Every structure is written in structure tokens, then in C-alpha cells.
Amino acid sequence: MKKIALHWQILIGILAGILVGILCVQFDAGTAFAVDWIKPFGTIFINLLKLIAIPLIIVSLIKGISDLVDVTQLSSLGIRTLCFYVATTIIAVMLGLGLVNLINPGGFISEDTRKEMLVSFGGEVQQKVDEVEKLEEARGPLQALVDIVPENIFESASANSNMLQIIFFSIIFGVAMIMLPFNQVEAFKKVLDAGNAIVLKIVDLIMLAAPYGVFSLMVTLVAEAPSFDVFKALGAYSLTVILGLVTLVYLVYSLFLYFFGKMKPQKFFKAIFPAQLLGFSTSSSAATLPVTMDCVENNLGVRKDVVSFVLPIGATINMDGTCLYQAVAAIFIAQVMGYDLTTSQQLSVILTATLASIGSAAVPGAGLLMLVIVLESIGVSPAGIALIFAVDRPLDMLRTSTNITGDALVAVIMNRFSPRNGRKPAS
Ligand code: ASP
């Protein structure tokens, strides 16, 4: 029998999960059943993906860099990658800002809904706001830079939130390897090659569980979702975010692909569909990273050194979907709470949302937490996050898919713009 392609399997898992989730909420004990007996499998699946993320980054990044000819090649790849990451992020935030001002979703919210949301979610949101504010108080302006350089690599490797520290260490390690004569590092390169093959095999094994993992994630999501009325009340806001994300992915990215990547958008979107679906069901760019790397390398033919440099960094700092969402959310909250924002406040959203998206961890709900900083920068009370809290998860799913699509796009572009690698033993 012909094997069904992975993306179809994942899609079937998503749809079956939604149906079973709807079925579960019809019965009194249904939600408890989903949480007790189905949710753990989704958690196990996400844990497996996260488990392999750090080993994958370490081996593939060191291997990718040590395959380069010299350090100049790395710095030119690095600078170009960062330029494209920043450019796409700024376009995303401006698109969000334009749409939210044009549509004015805040005008669609009734006074009753506003009060209801602030009361229902106020407590939970206040806790999160306090956490972020406490963290921010202790931080100087250059703390983000200090945070990239770890004092102990084993400590960094003990938490997935330290991804940038792992990347930093792997880059130094790879650079040192390039600088040494080939015969001195040859044996270690063989170990890396083997390590890389083993890690990729583990990814393949984990992906066998993907349809069941996403099934379980979707059942839980539907079973724990707030009532449909909430979605109706926040419809204009959600639609503004969705319209922005769709325009970004299918219009802006297609133009980038056409002009910079010289690739047909259809080919690109077909190739990364499995990663998009996984980003959608896990809401985590970090958990999706192994699959994004696999799709970009094997389905799109992007070189390994580019994939292993561009994608781990992108998963951590390039979040176009998150940035667009933060702009829409911040202005929407300001609109509902009756703030009249000046042009300079709107411009400050561009800057802070860009920085906040770079600083957001690649995990579910991180963008919502960092929204606190965007709101504070324009003098809007972060307590207003309670207004959008209920619909955040579905929007997180969509923005995560967008985030990883943006990373893959830049990998395709870098494949064209970066010189070929090819370090050979000195003869
Ligand atoms: N969940 C998103 C990601 O992992 C981050 C966010 O919350 O926007 O890419």
C-alpha cells in the first residue's frame, strides 16, 4: 500500500483531533477525560521534539560552520541573514500597524464585553504582568547582549530557553575549528558527521509519532477552549491578526521568494507544509525546528551549512508573525481602553514590537508575555492584555506557523546569496 505523505498524516491528525475534541465537550466527563487520558500524549510529543532541539542545534551548527572555507564566509552569511530577518520583521510590524488602524477592531467591542473580559481574565493576566515587570526591573539596557554569553555551557544546555547561548557557543566552537589546520580537526569532524546522522535519525523516529501527537494536542485544545461567544466578541480583532498573517505569508513572502529567492512560491509552500502544520499544532518554533530543518534541506534543497546556521537562529530571533500580532494587539487594546495614540507612540510600537519579538522565546504564549513591554512603551496599562487573553492560543498557532515560514524563506534566500562551502583537506 502506498504510504500517506507526512503532511497528510498530520492534517488528518489535526482534523480528527478537532472532531474528537468537539465530541468530548458534549459530555460532562468529556473534558476531564481529554485532559487526563489524551493530553499527556501531546505533552510527550512536544517534549520529544524539544529534547532533540539542543543536540540538533549543537551538532548541525558546529558541523555547518566548520564546513565553511573561512571566517569571512561565516560573517558575510551572518550579516546578510540578520539583514533579511530585520527587514521581514519590520515589514510585518508595519503591515500589522496599517491594518489595525484601518480596520479599527477596537470599535467593534461593546462595553459589556470589555468589562467581562477584564474581570474574567484580569487575575491571571496580572500575575503574568507582575512576572515580566519584575524581570524587566532588574535589567539594564545591554542585558539582552549579556544574556547571550553563557558562563557555563552545561547550565545553558539544561534549559531550552537558553537557545541563543547554545548557538553562541556552537558558533565559537565552529569558528575555532575553521581556524585550525584541517588534519587537526578531521577526526572530530567525523564524530560530528556521525552525531549529525544519529540526531537526524532520532528526528525521523519522533516524526513517526507526529500524527498521534498533533491529534492529542488538538483534542486538548478544543476541550479546554473558551466558549464560542468569546471568539465572536473578539472576531474583528482576531480577523485583523489573521488577515495580516495571511497577507504577510502569501503576498509579502511570495514577493521575497520571487525577487530574492528566485523560487516559485507554490514549490516553497508545498515543501514546508509539514513544518507549518507542526508549528500550528505545537505553537512552538523551537519544537518545530527539527522538522523545519528537514523540510528546508530535503524538500527545498537548501545547503546544509545554510540550513544549520540560518534556521536555529531564526527560530529564536526571527518572529515575523509574533511581531505583527504584537502591533495589532497593542493598538487594539489601546483602542478599546480609549487611548488616543500619537504618531510617535505608533512609531514606538514598530521599535518595541520588533525588539519584543526578537526577545520572545520560541514557546507557546511567549509573544503574549512580551506584549507587556510593547504596551508599557506606549503608556497603555498591560492589564489590558486580559481583553485578548481568551483568543490567544489559536492566534499563537497561526503566528508560530508564520514565524517558521519566515525562517524558511530567509534560508532559501541565503542559499542563493551565500557563497558555496567546501573546506577540503590540504593536499
Ligand atoms: N509561540 C511562538 C513561537 O514559538 C511565539 C509567540 O508566542 O508568538 O514562535
Side-chain angles (χ1 to χ4, degrees):
M1 201 177 80
K2 197 165 165 274
K3 203 171 167 298
I4 307 175
L6 179 66
H7 58 272
W8 292 121
Q9 292 184 30
I10 297 180
L11 202 61
I12 293 169
I14 291 177
L15 295 177
I18 294 176
L19 286 179
V20 174
I22 293 174
L23 208 69
C24 282
V25 290
Q26 309 304 318
F27 304 99
D28 283 345
T31 306
F33 175 81
V35 171
D36 290 344
W37 295 98
I38 300 183
K39 186 176 182 178
F41 294 102
T43 311
I44 292 174
F45 176 61
I46 293 202
N47 284 354
L48 282 169
L49 286 168
K50 288 187 180 161
L51 173 72
I52 204 62
I54 286 190
L56 178 68
I57 292 179
I58 295 177
V59 286
S60 67
L61 195 51
I62 298 181
K63 180 176 153 40
I65 292 174
S66 64
D67 280 344
L68 297 175
V69 177
D70 54 29
V71 181
T72 329
Q73 203 183 353
L74 174 68
S75 55
S76 79
L77 176 62
I79 291 168
R80 287 171 203 197
T81 303
L82 289 184
C83 287
F84 273 96
Y85 278 161
V86 173
T88 52
T89 304
I90 291 181
I91 293 176
V93 66
M94 291 193 352
L95 179 63
L97 213 55
L99 284 175
V100 71
N101 279 297
L102 198 73
I103 298 173
N104 187 22
F108 290 77
I109 295 287
S110 69
E111 184 56 25
D112 287 348
T113 312
R114 185 171 87 106
K115 284 195 188 129
E116 202 182 305
M117 298 288 165
L118 288 176
V119 171
S120 314
F121 300 102
E124 206 170 330
V125 165
Q126 196 52 48
Q127 252 179 16
K128 289 183 188 286
V129 172
D130 288 347
E131 275 168 37
V132 176
E133 281 177 345
K134 218 159 73 211
L135 272 177
E136 282 306 301
E137 261 168 35
R139 293 166 67 87
L142 292 183
Q143 191 58 38
L145 212 60
V146 175
D147 287 346
I148 296 178
V149 186
E151 61 178 52
N152 182 326
I153 190 60
F154 295 103
E155 207 176 290
S156 313
S158 68
N160 281 4
S161 54
N162 298 333
M163 213 86 113
L164 275 183
Q165 299 186 344
I166 298 289
I167 291 172
F168 177 80
F169 177 77
S170 307
I171 292 178
I172 299 195
F173 203 100
V175 167
M177 283 179 70
I178 307 181
M179 295 169 98
L180 285 165
F182 188 82
N183 56 4
Q184 247 176 317
V185 291
E186 197 179 359
F188 190 73
K189 267 172 127 337
K190 286 205 176 116
V191 175
L192 271 182
D193 285 344
N196 201 39
I198 294 168
V199 169
L200 291 179
K201 195 70 208 161
I202 298 178
V203 173
D204 284 350
L205 291 177
I206 297 172
M207 287 317 289
L208 292 177
Y212 310 100
V214 296
F215 166 79
S216 150
L217 290 169
M218 296 313 287
V219 173
T220 321
L221 193 83
V222 175
E224 290 181 334
S227 79
F228 190 68
D229 292 349
V230 174
F231 290 104
K232 257 187 7 212
L234 292 173
Y237 157 72
S238 308
L239 286 178
T240 309
V241 176
I242 295 171
L243 181 65
L245 296 176
V246 170
T247 313
L248 179 68
V249 171
Y250 293 104
L251 184 71
V252 179
Y253 287 175
S254 294
L255 290 174
F256 266 79
L257 277 169
Y258 186 76
F259 287 108
F260 298 109
K262 297 281 177 240
M263 179 180 280
K264 282 212 176 90
Q266 300 93 299
K267 176 179 173 191
F268 173 81
F269 290 119
K270 186 164 176 239
I272 57 148
F273 195 45
Q276 284 181 320
L277 287 178
L278 206 67
F280 178 80
S281 22
T282 60
S283 289
S284 167
S285 301
T288 314
L289 181 63
V291 179
T292 318
M293 290 173 78
D294 184 59
C295 290
V296 173
E297 188 182 340
N298 296 324
N299 302 353
L300 285 171
V302 172
R303 294 198 324 269
K304 197 168 184 56
D305 56 309
V306 173
V307 170
S308 54
F309 180 80
V310 174
L311 291 181
I313 296 181
T316 330
I317 67 168
N318 182 47
M319 298 201 179
D320 301 344
T322 300
C323 194
L324 184 149
Y325 142 85
Q326 281 170 336
V328 175
I331 306 291
F332 168 74
I333 292 170
Q335 288 169 346
V336 180
M337 310 273 269
Y339 292 84
D340 208 2
L341 296 182
T342 60
T343 313
S344 75
Q345 279 172 311
Q346 300 248 5
L347 289 178
S348 124
V349 170
I350 297 185
L351 183 70
T352 45
T354 302
L355 294 176
S357 72
I358 292 174
S360 300
V363 296
L368 181 86
L369 278 185
M370 297 303 272
L371 187 59
V372 173
I373 296 168
V374 183
L375 288 171
E376 281 180 342
S377 79
I378 52 172
V380 173
S381 164
I385 291 179
L387 291 167
I388 55 162
F389 195 73
V391 289
D392 196 62
R393 186 59 197 248
L395 296 181
D396 193 2
M397 297 160 79
L398 292 169
R399 63 185 191 248
T400 307
S401 255
T402 307
N403 290 344
I404 59 131
T405 308
D407 301 340
L409 166 79
V410 175
V412 167
I413 296 174
M414 284 307 120
N415 196 47
R416 255 198 85 226
F417 280 98
S418 71
R420 309 233 138 232
N421 65 341
R423 193 181 185 211
K424 294 269 171 320
S427 50

